[in-house]
Amino acid sequence: MAFVAVQPSNTNDNDKGGQGEDFGKSSPVGLVLLILFFIAVFFLVRSMNKHLKRVPASFDEPASDTPSEPEEKKKD
């Protein structure tokens, strides 16, 4: 810790604080990755919509007109 505090500061007028000539520019690889992510999201949303169309509106069992009798009757 003491070594870091004792180091002299580099006060160079030409230093732009890490913002060199290429600061803020993206590479073509970044564009390709972004396009691939958008394509993947498109296909995921499309697949999800297909699966959601198959889901029933309700998971409740349909009500029948006659009351259902128990499967096994107990004998006394």
Side-chain angles (χ1 to χ4, degrees):
M1 285 293 246
F3 179 71
V4 174
V6 175
Q7 288 182 347
S9 63
N10 186 5
T11 56
N12 188 357
D13 292 334
N14 295 332
D15 185 21
K16 298 178 183 176
Q19 297 181 3
E21 173 179 322
D22 293 332
F23 181 77
K25 296 180 182 177
S26 61
S27 68
V29 176
L31 178 64
V32 170
L33 284 174
L34 189 63
I35 291 171
L36 287 175
F37 284 138
F38 282 134
I39 291 171
V41 167
F42 172 77
F43 283 113
L44 286 171
V45 169
R46 188 171 155 199
S47 175
M48 181 181 64
N49 283 334
K50 282 183 185 179
H51 282 88
L52 285 176
K53 287 179 184 177
R54 296 179 189 166
V55 174
S58 174
F59 289 104
D60 296 333
E61 302 221 3
S64 59
D65 294 333
T66 59
S68 60
E69 298 201 17
E71 297 282 331
E72 298 177 18
K73 293 183 178 180
K74 292 184 179 180
K75 294 183 181 180
D76 291 321

